[in-house]
Amino acid sequence: MAAIGREVPDMALLDFNLGQETSLPVAELLEELGVPVIFISGQTQQVVLSDMKTVYTVISKPFDPERLVSEVRLVVSVASS
């Protein structure tokens, strides 16, 4: 969160599960700032069932690098249009 306060990224790839907590608060802050977010998670069911205000792109681990590149391109193109 502090890093976002110093410099807002163009987009973010976030691991959902951070042990005792999730990265959902970071995603919500980024959303408020207009930053596109993609979640990468080995526990996609937890991501889908979480209390999200927004529907995010979720990529399951292990992931196909080509899918990641494709999703990043899609999110960036939507955000820039």
Side-chain angles (χ1 to χ4, degrees):
M1 298 287 239
I4 295 168
R6 290 188 300 274
E7 184 175 350
V8 178
D10 294 327
M11 73 159 304
L13 299 172
L14 301 176
D15 192 342
F16 185 77
N17 187 353
L18 303 176
Q20 299 292 331
E21 55 192 0
T22 71
S23 60
L24 191 54
V26 175
E28 290 172 345
L29 172 60
L30 290 168
E31 179 188 358
E32 289 173 15
L33 297 170
V35 176
V37 171
I38 296 175
F39 280 109
I40 300 175
S41 180
Q43 301 161 339
T44 54
Q45 189 65 18
Q46 181 184 2
V47 177
V48 172
L49 295 176
S50 68
D51 187 25
M52 291 185 184
K53 301 173 189 170
T54 301
V55 176
Y56 295 97
T57 299
V58 179
I59 298 175
S60 298
K61 289 183 195 175
F63 59 87
D64 174 19
E66 291 178 17
R67 173 153 188 241
L68 177 61
V69 170
S70 174
E71 293 292 346
V72 168
R73 285 184 178 144
L74 179 62
V75 167
V76 170
S77 71
V78 168
S80 63
S81 50

